[in-house]
Amino acid sequence: LATAAGHEILKRGGNAFDAAVAVAAVLAVVEPYASGLGGGGLWLLHRAADGRHVMVDARETAPAGVTPELYVDASGKPIRAATTQGGTAAAIPGAAAALVHVTGRYGGLPLGASLAPAVRHARDGFPVDERYARLAGLRERLLRQNPDASRIFLDGDRAPRAGWLLRQPELAETLELLARDGNGGFYGGPVAR
């Protein structure tokens, strides 16, 4: 689906950067176990027209209030899972900013055009594959502990089988806000709250 989105954007007259944004956005929808707007990444770009090479660092950053004391106990030993679970594991995502930046600096289409396939797959849904079903099965207990995660990613309260239609209307709305308002649509307003 992500590859098809890239092809779709190229057929609409977008350039390779627009297609890369579309691919990344669709991966955020169809691979919630590995991709997403809540994460980050690195983009290595090459512009053939002038030979320009650019590295876009979209890695997550720590919130301003983070201190080392949140991750070590009174004796200075690391707190188990402090960097992987709960509030101390949270970071400010860079993925959404990268989509806005790459589109604005290097793309030829409006951000909304490149995000349209991701919005469509999030809103209308897509049949999950065997990999999704297997990974959801491995995380079923954890997903069940969070009512929103359970509602979105599980079929009832069970890991879905391949072919189950995963719909993410809230993600579609978030992508639409990002398309309409740029960084402010993600890092401000209702999404940030």
Side-chain angles (χ1 to χ4, degrees):
L1 295 175
T3 302
H7 284 274
E8 177 183 329
I9 295 305
L10 292 172
K11 288 177 186 172
R12 287 186 182 178
N15 62 29
F17 303 112
D18 298 312
V21 167
V23 167
V26 170
L27 286 174
V29 174
V30 302
E31 288 187 344
Y33 48 82
S35 302
L37 294 180
L42 302 168
W43 294 58
L44 182 58
L45 309 177
H46 168 76
R47 188 167 53 199
D50 59 5
R52 180 171 167 82
H53 300 282
V54 174
M55 171 60 128
V56 176
D57 181 355
R59 290 301 310 186
E60 307 85 345
T61 58
V66 169
T67 63
E69 293 76 27
L70 294 172
Y71 302 94
V72 294
D73 63 21
S75 66
K77 297 202 186 293
I79 299 171
R80 181 179 162 92
T83 60
T84 60
Q85 296 177 12
T88 55
I92 308 303
L99 299 177
V100 172
H101 176 78
V102 170
T103 297
R105 292 289 299 268
Y106 306 104
L109 296 177
L111 182 58
S114 295
L115 296 183
V119 170
R120 186 174 63 244
H121 290 305
R123 178 163 285 120
D124 298 343
F126 65 94
V128 301
D129 60 12
E130 290 287 339
R131 184 173 185 206
Y132 178 95
R134 181 173 44 80
L135 292 171
L138 292 172
R139 295 297 218 174
E140 183 179 299
R141 186 176 58 81
L142 185 64
L143 289 168
R144 225 184 286 130
Q145 290 174 0
N146 181 297
D148 287 325
S150 180
R151 175 181 54 82
I152 296 167
F153 299 114
L154 296 178
D155 182 6
D157 66 345
R158 308 290 303 171
R161 294 177 183 228
W164 178 72
L165 198 64
L166 173 56
R167 289 187 178 95
Q168 301 170 80
E170 294 96 340
L171 180 55
E173 291 173 15
T174 299
L175 288 161
E176 288 174 328
L177 286 170
L178 183 65
R180 188 187 76 208
D181 299 333
N183 285 330
F186 186 83
Y187 298 100
V191 175
R193 278 193 296 281

